[in-house]
Amino acid sequence: MGTQGEPGAAEAHWERLAPGVARRRMPGWDETIGAIAGRTGVLVVDTGATLRAGAEIRREVTELFGLPVTHVALTHPHFDHVLGTAAFLGFSGLKVYGAVGLDELMQREREAMRRTAERHGVDPEEAAEAADLLVLPHHLVSGEVAVDLDGDGDGQQVLLANVGPGHTAHDLAVLAVGRDGAPDIVFCGDLVEESGEPQAGSDALPHAWPAALDRLLALGGEDALYVPGHGAVVDAGFVRSQRDELAARFGVA
């Protein structure tokens, strides 16, 4: 097992979910980062809380798959999921996706995100740097968008789905279509949390959250693996139970 920054560190940090699909639980805030590889590039799901974290993710993903990060999908606008994006800009054709409206919200809330990051323990200089270099998504998803990582129709297929609002007003899910008998894998962002009760902050829309999980289940189906924004990988039954708990918690049918 390698240590951070040494050869082999990527294999130690990342959990392989299927051929070409992996995820990492980051230290500190336990946010999940996803990676879905085609033959020519990798889509990364969320980018960590700082540029330093983003650079580490980029380095390790390249080590895992031997490919550049060509696509980034941001599941929602919380600091621990988006502030590392600028570390991926070394690839000139990088495509950054988010739910429609995410770009305007991130631009408007840039300073609030910096303050939130500091309040949660990010070094002030690192938080300021990440906020100054904040990358806004330029491919906006209003319904569903199919992404062909190889551009030829024969490689890894990824579906981006705007399934929110719920945890925030801009919740994006990422479905890696299973190949060679592997299950579909759904990266849920913080619509689903396994390591604790789902967090409903001031930007949550509690009345809409159960319906967002209904859409998430329709996207993945009964046999998919669901990857929470925080915690261990779960199944459809867990998502359904969490949906019912949220409905009871917020008084939604």
Side-chain angles (χ1 to χ4, degrees):
M1 235 186 196
T3 58
Q4 185 170 324
E6 295 179 358
E11 289 292 349
H13 293 158
W14 289 75
E15 177 185 358
R16 300 271 191 171
L17 303 177
V21 184
R23 72 88 174 244
R24 180 180 175 187
R25 294 171 67 172
M26 297 297 288
W29 299 276
D30 189 39
E31 74 274 20
T32 284
I33 307 298
I36 305 166
R39 293 190 303 273
T40 59
V42 181
L43 182 146
V44 164
V45 183
D46 290 339
T47 59
T50 64
L51 295 178
R52 181 162 50 90
E56 182 177 307
I57 293 162
R58 178 183 174 189
R59 182 173 61 250
E60 291 187 349
V61 166
T62 301
E63 180 185 325
L64 277 177
F65 299 113
L67 296 167
V69 175
T70 54
H71 300 70
V72 166
L74 302 176
T75 63
H76 65 288
H78 289 165
F79 80 93
D80 51 328
H81 295 263
V82 303
L83 286 185
T85 307
F88 294 84
L89 291 178
F91 182 79
S92 60
L94 183 74
K95 296 179 179 179
V96 182
Y97 294 84
V100 66
L102 183 65
D103 55 340
E104 295 176 359
L105 181 139
M106 289 175 63
Q107 178 67 20
R108 187 170 64 248
E109 298 293 327
R110 181 190 301 258
E111 282 304 303
M113 292 170 64
R114 177 190 61 77
R115 291 193 299 269
T116 300
E118 287 187 25
R119 190 167 64 249
H120 283 82
V122 174
D123 176 82
E125 290 188 4
E126 287 194 276
E129 180 185 28
D132 286 344
L133 298 176
L134 187 67
V135 175
L136 308 180
H138 49 276
H139 293 276
L140 301 174
V141 181
S142 59
E144 296 182 355
V145 171
V147 175
D148 181 353
L149 291 182
D150 300 310
D152 58 9
D154 295 323
Q156 173 68 61
Q157 301 297 307
V158 179
L159 188 67
L160 308 180
N162 185 340
V163 295
H167 178 65
T168 72
H170 306 284
D171 293 312
L172 187 75
V174 180
L175 169 69
V177 178
R179 296 182 294 173
D180 301 324
D184 291 348
I185 297 171
V186 182
F187 290 91
C188 307
D190 286 5
L191 282 168
V192 179
E193 297 192 40
E194 184 276 336
S195 55
E197 186 176 78
Q199 297 300 301
S202 60
D203 59 345
L205 288 88
H207 68 281
W209 201 331
L213 292 186
D214 288 336
R215 290 189 287 273
L216 194 70
L217 286 163
L219 177 70
E222 287 301 310
D223 297 326
L225 297 177
Y226 292 84
V227 185
H230 302 265
V233 176
V234 300
D235 60 13
F238 180 95
V239 177
R240 188 171 295 105
S241 294
Q242 192 157 95
R243 181 252 183 241
D244 293 343
E245 290 167 4
L246 286 167
R249 175 179 165 189
F250 298 126
V252 180

